[in-house]
């Protein structure tokens, strides 16, 4: 399986039916599972045997799809969550607690920024945000005695900055903590952060993985390489007995390959219950089966639209890491040799008002709070998600009032460009 190409894994990994069994992953639409004896079930509760007893913790449909995502990312284990937000929260909270500190790139999804800067702060977890462009010395300076994780996005939503994964991993490892990378935008088809040193990879599967705007979901993948025992004092949750499971030590019992996901499932999923429904996992898998076919088309459309916009007189600036003029072109060549994604952002002359009237005139691209869909969609943060901010605050957040984020779908690029051209006129 490991030698297979990414496209074969998209179609085949995670589920191999036996003789006479369903060809497609069965949707196990059952909250619970039946046992002949209490002893049998007790072994599952004690983590002595693997199996299913209650869908809030684990469900076979989800596990097949998680196994596919683990294979795609080159990880040792994975789990699905109800959303991308839950995936990032679980990935961080699995190794952080009250009194911990996180170093995070400042160029991340707004929802994740709120999660870390506001909600996790209320749990007593501090954060230091660093520029994704910071050099090693600046990154080192952000670390503290109580730092437990470093976090960034391969391609940031919506800023479209590209993370120097190797540099971030090197600094994180020098401080004895794992690097967590949200790989939602490129997907494992275009970048596999584990190959560059990331320890944990997260996803909003709501985006390209599903790809059809049908199911909200998330995933966490463990590379299985981080040596928790070598930094045992930093990660007591993994290296000291868990009293809620009769004193199990996850890093001992499940090793580097299994400890992180087993603990995350048996503690956080048990207690917070952010499970993905088996129905949604099935829909997600349908998306994954064509991910390697769809991503090149999203990239092709994104690049075509970015190039068109770059040459248009009413456009002040275009952000797309695949453009030679982009600040992140060199990093994109290294980490995203086959292209990144279909999301482009650009600024119009005339700011907010120009953006508003431009978007109203679009006929194919719909105005939506969404990205990474088969259908092209767009958003002007200043008049929607960031509506409460003044122009000065927008500028400070790196979101000019005239900025438009367009997520190029799978339509014909000539039609997308014609639509944009008529709306600009
Ligand atoms: C959308 C998104 C999230 C949040 O995912 P949901 O599935 O909406 O909860 C997290 N990270 C990135 C990069 C995203 O684009």
């Amino acid at each position: 399986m490991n030698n297979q190409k990414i496209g074969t894994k998209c179609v085949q990994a995670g589920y191999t039916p036996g003789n006479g069994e369903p060809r497609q992953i069965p949707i196990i639409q059952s909250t619970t599972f039946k046992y002949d004896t209490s002893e049998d079930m007790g072994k599952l509760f004690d983590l002595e045997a693997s199996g299913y007893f209650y869908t809030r913790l684990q469900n076979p449909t989800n596990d097949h799809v998680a196994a596919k995502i683990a294979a795609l990312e080159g990880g040792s284990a994975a789990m699905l969550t109800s959303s991308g937000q839950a995936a990032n929260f679980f990935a961080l909270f699995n190794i952080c607690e009250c009194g911990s500190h996180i170093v995070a790139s400042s160029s991340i999804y707004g929802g994740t920024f709120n999660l870390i800067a506001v909600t996790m702060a209320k749990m007593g977890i501090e954060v230091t945000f660093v520029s994704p462009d910071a050099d090693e010395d600046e990154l080192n300076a952000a670390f503290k005695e109580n730092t437990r994780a470093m976090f960034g996005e391969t391609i940031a939503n919506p800023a479209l900055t590209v993370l120097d994964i190797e540099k971030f991993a090197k600094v994180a490892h020098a401080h004895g903590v794992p690097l967590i990378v949200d790989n939602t935008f490129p997907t494992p088809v275009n970048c596999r952060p584990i190959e560059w040193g990331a320890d944990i990879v997260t996803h909003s599967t709501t985006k390209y993985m599903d790809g059809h705007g049908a199911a909200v979901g998330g995933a966490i993948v463990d590379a299985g390489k981080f040596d928790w025992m070598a930094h045992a004092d930093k990660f007591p949750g993994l290296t000291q007995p868990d009293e809620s499971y009769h004193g199990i030590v996850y890093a001992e019992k499940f090793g580097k390959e299994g400890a992180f996901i087993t603990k995350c499932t048996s503690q956080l999923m048990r207690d917070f219950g952010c499970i993905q429904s088996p129905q949604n996992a099935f829909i997600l898998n349908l998306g994954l089966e064509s991910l390697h076919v769809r991503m090149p088309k999203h990239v092709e459309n994104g690049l075509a639209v970015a190039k068109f916009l770059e040459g248009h007189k009413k456009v002040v600036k275009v952000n797309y890491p695949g453009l030679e003029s982009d600040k992140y072109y060199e990093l994109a060549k290294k980490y995203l040799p086959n292209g990144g994604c279909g999301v482009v952002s650009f600024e119009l002359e005339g700011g907010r008002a120009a953006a508003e009237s431009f978007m109203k005139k679009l006929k194919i691209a719909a105005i939506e709070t969404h990205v990474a869909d088969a259908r092209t969609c767009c958003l002007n943060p200043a008049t929607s998600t960031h509506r409460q901010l003044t122009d000065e605050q927008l500028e400070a957040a790196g979101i000019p009032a005239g900025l438009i984020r367009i997520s190029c779908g799978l339509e014909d690029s000539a039609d997308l460009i014609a639509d944009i051209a008529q709306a600009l006129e």
Side-chain angles (χ1 to χ4, degrees), residues 84-85 88-89 92 104-120 127 129 151-153 155-161 182 184-185 204 207 369 371 379 381 385-386 388-389 397-399 405:
Q85 285 298 111
N88 282 325
F89 173 59
L92 289 164
S105 165
S106 58
S107 186
I108 53 174
Y109 176 65
T112 313
F113 192 94
N114 274 334
L115 167 69
I116 298 175
V118 181
T119 300
M120 290 182 78
V127 60
F129 286 107
F151 182 89
E153 290 177 11
I155 304 176
N157 176 12
L160 302 175
T161 55
D182 181 331
T184 296
F185 268 18
S204 165
K207 312 293 166 53
T369 310
V371 283
L379 187 80
T385 51
H386 295 68
Q388 69 283 10
L389 273 64
I399 305 168
R405 180 185 74 188

Side-chain angles (χ1 to χ4, degrees), residues 64-302:
H64 289 307
V65 182
K68 174 177 282 187
I69 295 173
L72 291 174
E73 289 287 5
S76 62
M79 65 195 281
L80 300 188
T81 56
S82 53
S83 68
Q85 285 298 111
N88 282 325
F89 173 59
F90 276 23
L92 289 164
F93 199 62
N94 205 32
I95 46 174
C96 294
E97 57 189 31
C98 183
S100 301
H101 171 254
I102 296 165
V103 176
S105 165
S106 58
S107 186
I108 53 174
Y109 176 65
T112 313
F113 192 94
N114 274 334
L115 167 69
I116 298 175
V118 181
T119 300
M120 290 182 78
K122 290 179 190 164
M123 301 171 158
I125 298 167
E126 306 174 83
V127 60
T128 301
F129 286 107
V130 291
S131 162
D133 308 332
D135 64 25
E136 274 182 41
D137 289 343
E138 290 167 315
L139 293 179
N140 278 319
F143 278 76
K144 302 183 182 188
E145 200 50 49
N146 55 340
T147 305
R148 295 292 176 264
M150 194 177 203
F151 182 89
E153 290 177 11
T154 315
I155 304 176
N157 176 12
L160 302 175
T161 55
V162 176
L163 191 74
D164 191 341
I165 302 172
E166 266 190 325
K167 179 172 74 182
F168 270 60
K170 183 179 167 204
V171 172
H173 295 160
H175 293 272
V177 307
L179 173 65
I180 303 175
V181 174
D182 181 331
N183 196 36
T184 296
F185 268 18
T187 82
V189 169
N190 285 337
C191 180
R192 290 174 295 284
I194 290 171
E195 292 174 2
W196 300 102
D199 302 287
I200 311 290
V201 174
T202 58
H203 281 279
S204 165
T205 63
T206 316
K207 312 293 166 53
Y208 289 114
M209 282 190 166
D210 164 31
H212 298 80
V216 172
I220 307 171
V221 183
D222 179 13
K225 291 179 182 158
F226 195 84
D227 192 348
W228 307 107
M229 277 303 187
H231 308 283
D233 54 323
K234 284 187 160 66
F235 305 105
L238 285 153
T239 61
Q240 285 174 24
D242 177 359
E243 294 316 325
S244 70
Y245 280 106
H246 309 299
I248 268 182
V249 176
Y250 292 96
E252 274 173 4
K253 190 164 171 65
F254 302 101
K256 280 196 275 189
E257 293 76 19
F260 189 89
I261 294 294
T262 306
K263 174 181 181 288
C264 202
T265 302
S266 51
Q267 285 181 350
L268 301 189
M269 205 51 104
R270 177 195 64 189
D271 298 347
F272 292 103
C274 306
I275 195 76
Q276 185 165 144
S277 78
Q279 184 80 43
N280 276 4
F282 177 85
I283 292 169
L284 165 58
N285 185 60
L286 292 180
L288 291 171
E289 287 181 358
S290 64
L291 186 64
H292 59 302
V293 181
R294 292 184 287 109
M295 287 312 291
K297 182 66 180 169
H298 283 294
V299 168
E300 180 194 318
N301 284 355

Side-chain angles (χ1 to χ4, degrees), residues 20-35:
E21 287 181 357
R23 185 68 191 94
Q24 184 52 284
I25 296 177
I27 304 170
I28 306 297
Q29 194 68 40
S30 181
T31 55
T32 191
F33 301 81
K34 170 245 165 202
Y35 287 91

